[in-house]
Amino acid sequence: MNFKTDLNFRKETLIKLLNNIIIHEDDIIKALYDDFKKPAFEAVLTETNYVISDLKDTIKNLNKWAKPKRVLPSLLNFPSTDYIYKDPYGKVLIIAPWNYPFQLALCPLVAAVAAGNQVVLKPSELTSNTSAIIAKIIAKTFHVNHVEVIQGGVDVSENLLSQRWDYIFFTGSVSVGKIVAKAAAEHLTPVTLELGGKNPCIIDETANLKLAAKRIVWGKFVNAGQTCIAPDYILIQKDMKNKFIDYLKEEIITAYGNEPEKSPDFARIVNAKNWNRLTEMIDNDKVIFGGQSNESSCYIAPTLINEYDIDSLVMKDEIFGPLLPILEYSSAADIYTVVSKYEKPLSLYLFTENKIFAEKIIQNYSFGGGCVNDTIIHFLNKRLPFGGVGHSGIGAYHGVSSFDVFSHKKAIVKKANWLDLPVRYAPYKDKLDTVKKLLKWI
Ligand code: NAD
């Protein structure tokens, strides 16, 4: 078993993983349903099929990504050929969250294996059915010394973090991200932190409101709003607000019917703790649509909130649930006041036909990534690096970026022996002028 240097071995195990995921796809979909009633359609689109497609892409490109990349040499080293080798870090720890419990555990794992690392994966304890099927698939696919799943909660995670790793890849909340960063600093271990934030969705007076409503309802309420890149709040030009709210209501009814609780297409909140956290944010005086909830099934309806107060409870932190506050703005200064109140978000969405306005927002605000005239779909393009900035994260992955995350870039100069210019060697007497002339050319 030489996963560090044997590309064929890496590829074979990834093919085995692909086959085992395909064999167990129904079990994974069932586990996701048992965990938080994730609709089968969403399970396939955002979890199983996403990972399958990621695996196929990785297997197809592995040789190309792993190959040492030749770069132009420096004239100072003449004659040489220069390369960047992609070197596995070694022992990698991956800690995953519960909200896309299969995809967010498996995609980093696939990349870490592809890059030649040894992996320990700690999936979320809150989605225990999915974690169990992940553990089963991994045990069937890999030797335990190559890839291992360790299930458990905070204590298990803390124990893993107290050990020394060569790389840590963490997806989860900002508060736990800080704990991970501190633990990693103890051993100077490099990290990727995929965190969260309060994602603005800005709509100006030129936007196609009906289409915006449809795309926002989808991006916000998929997974019952428990998506790190879901629009957190709407910031709309004030004259457009009432019309837009009507469209939002129409789109919610079209998607989930008049009783979303009975819809097979709407997931549940993951547990009672999060249900309590979210229901506390609902101020009934501000609810303009939805607002219903059911503690026994952890249900919260898609809810629209007419919000004027950026200091309200729902505007304090990342919502991470099916509550959508709608704020209005009159000027660019209003947009700045709201967006800059928070740490740099993971995503920002903009609905507008005004290209100058779009460019201004893209260039003036710092955020992980986003879309113009849509929501969350930047996640789907493997050619776009996915990650946050500031408090929403450190580092980015997807496609070749995932392979690069788990590879140290080793710089190698291969010097030829047929010529050995004497100028750099001591004694330096009378060589300074020559060196100065040489350096001017380069
Ligand atoms: P979380 O931070 O509570 O938990 C994530 C993981 O960390 C779990 O495996 C958990 O067991 C572990 N953990 C929890 N507390 C810990 C502690 N004190 N010490 C060590 N480990 C600990 O996050 P979550 O509730 O599972 O997920 C929701 C958060 O994740 C949201 O903030 C969301 O925005 C973010 N998220 C980000 C992305 C992204 O790609 N950027 C994707 C999904 C979720």
Side-chain angles (χ1 to χ4, degrees):
M1 185 174 63
N2 192 350
F3 47 83
K4 190 168 153 42
T5 54
D6 187 345
L7 278 191
N8 283 334
F9 179 79
R10 291 189 212 167
K11 220 185 277 180
E12 277 161 22
T13 49
L14 290 176
I15 291 168
K16 200 169 160 196
L17 178 61
L18 174 63
N19 291 335
N20 284 334
I21 289 174
I22 291 169
I23 290 168
H24 286 288
E25 186 168 14
D26 288 345
D27 300 330
I28 301 163
I29 293 168
K30 182 176 180 310
L32 289 160
Y33 186 83
D34 291 345
D35 279 332
F36 60 111
K37 273 197 162 192
K38 183 153 186 152
F41 180 88
E42 291 182 11
V44 171
L45 187 74
T46 66
E47 306 259 16
T48 56
N49 195 59
Y50 191 93
V51 174
I52 287 170
S53 145
D54 196 43
L55 263 163
K56 287 182 177 165
D57 189 56
T58 305
I59 292 162
K60 189 174 117 201
N61 289 298
L62 186 56
N63 284 359
K64 188 171 83 188
W65 293 346
K67 198 173 164 207
K69 188 177 169 222
R70 190 164 169 186
V71 295
L72 280 178
S74 164
L75 272 182
L76 286 173
N77 297 333
F78 184 80
S80 77
T81 47
D82 295 11
Y83 297 87
I84 301 169
Y85 277 68
K86 306 280 185 77
D87 206 22
Y89 276 103
K91 271 173 63 184
V92 166
L93 173 66
I94 296 171
I95 301 179
W98 56 264
N99 63 327
Y100 289 83
F102 189 71
Q103 184 219 125
L104 295 174
L106 265 291
C107 285
L109 183 145
V110 167
V113 169
N117 297 281
Q118 189 182 355
V119 183
V120 168
L121 166 68
K122 212 293 285 168
S124 176
E125 68 280 20
L126 301 192
T127 38
S128 54
N129 295 296
T130 310
S131 297
I133 188 72
I134 290 174
K136 186 174 168 181
I137 292 171
I138 296 302
K140 247 176 106 169
T141 310
F142 297 95
H143 189 282
V144 70
N145 292 340
H146 185 192
V147 182
E148 187 183 7
V149 174
I150 298 183
Q151 297 187 71
V154 174
D155 50 337
V156 169
S157 201
E158 282 172 346
N159 181 274
L160 289 168
L161 285 171
S162 69
Q163 298 168 32
R164 183 168 179 171
W165 302 91
D166 297 306
Y167 202 93
I168 300 176
F169 189 103
F170 172 80
T171 308
S173 59
V174 174
S175 56
V176 181
K178 289 180 186 174
I179 294 171
V180 173
K182 268 191 202 154
E186 199 58 44
H187 300 290
L188 290 182
T189 300
V191 289
T192 293
L193 301 176
E194 294 282 340
L195 311 177
K198 223 165 161 53
N199 306 322
C201 183
I202 302 166
I203 306 170
D204 83 348
E205 61 284 3
T206 67
N208 179 336
L209 289 186
K210 188 157 172 50
L211 195 54
K214 192 186 200 114
R215 291 174 177 174
I216 290 166
V217 163
W218 176 70
K220 175 70 185 183
F221 299 114
V222 67
N223 220 37
Q226 301 164 113
T227 303
C228 56
I229 47 173
D232 189 280
Y233 61 91
I234 303 283
L235 194 49
I236 186 163
Q237 201 283 336
K238 73 176 183 358
D239 301 333
M240 306 289 118
K241 185 173 172 183
N242 290 338
K243 198 166 177 204
F244 180 65
I245 288 171
D246 288 341
Y247 284 138
L248 279 179
K249 290 177 184 172
E250 274 174 28
E251 290 300 336
I252 294 173
I253 293 168
T254 304
Y256 306 110
N258 284 312
E259 291 178 273
E261 193 167 5
K262 294 189 178 152
S263 166
D265 299 328
F266 189 66
R268 294 297 178 264
I269 305 307
V270 73
N271 62 7
K273 189 175 161 206
N274 275 288
W275 185 88
N276 281 318
R277 180 184 65 79
L278 287 161
T279 47
E280 268 172 27
M281 289 179 193
I282 303 175
D283 176 346
N284 286 326
D285 293 342
K286 293 179 180 170
V287 170
I288 42 179
F289 190 80
Q292 303 85 356
S293 59
N294 181 344
E295 188 170 8
S296 64
S297 59
C298 281
Y299 167 76
I300 298 178
T303 297
L304 304 179
I305 295 168
N306 194 13
E307 190 56 82
Y308 286 92
D309 177 11
I310 53 170
D311 294 318
S312 69
L313 199 53
V314 78
M315 290 306 291
K316 201 162 168 265
D317 290 313
E318 179 187 18
I319 296 170
F320 216 59
L323 315 178
L324 184 58
I326 302 158
L327 292 91
E328 60 182 49
Y329 73 84
S330 305
S331 64
D334 293 344
I335 297 177
Y336 180 79
T337 304
V338 178
V339 176
S340 62
K341 178 175 188 279
Y342 305 98
E343 295 290 345
K344 295 171 181 175
L346 184 57
S347 307
L348 184 147
Y349 304 109
L350 195 55
F351 286 84
T352 180
E353 296 293 325
N354 180 342
K355 290 189 174 139
I356 295 169
F357 178 66
E359 281 310 311
K360 263 195 186 155
I361 296 284
I362 292 168
Q363 290 181 31
N364 287 340
Y365 290 93
S366 183
F367 52 96
C371 312
V372 178
N373 293 321
D374 213 328
T375 60
I376 76 175
I377 56 165
H378 57 302
F379 193 85
L380 297 175
N381 185 350
K382 293 186 179 67
R383 286 173 287 275
L384 291 174
F386 177 79
V389 57
H391 280 216
S392 57
I394 297 173
Y397 71 131
H398 286 187
V400 67
S401 303
S402 297
F403 187 90
D404 286 346
V405 155
F406 290 103
S407 309
H408 163 64
K409 275 125 224 114
K410 197 185 257 174
I412 298 293
V413 172
K414 293 185 180 170
K415 184 84 180 190
N417 289 341
W418 58 268
L419 180 70
D420 191 34
L421 294 172
V423 67
R424 67 174 148 146
Y425 300 113
Y428 302 130
K429 193 171 174 294
D430 300 333
K431 288 181 177 171
L432 195 55
D433 284 348
T434 320
V435 164
K436 277 183 178 170
K437 272 183 205 150
L438 264 175
L439 289 174
K440 260 187 203 162
W441 293 347
I442 293 162

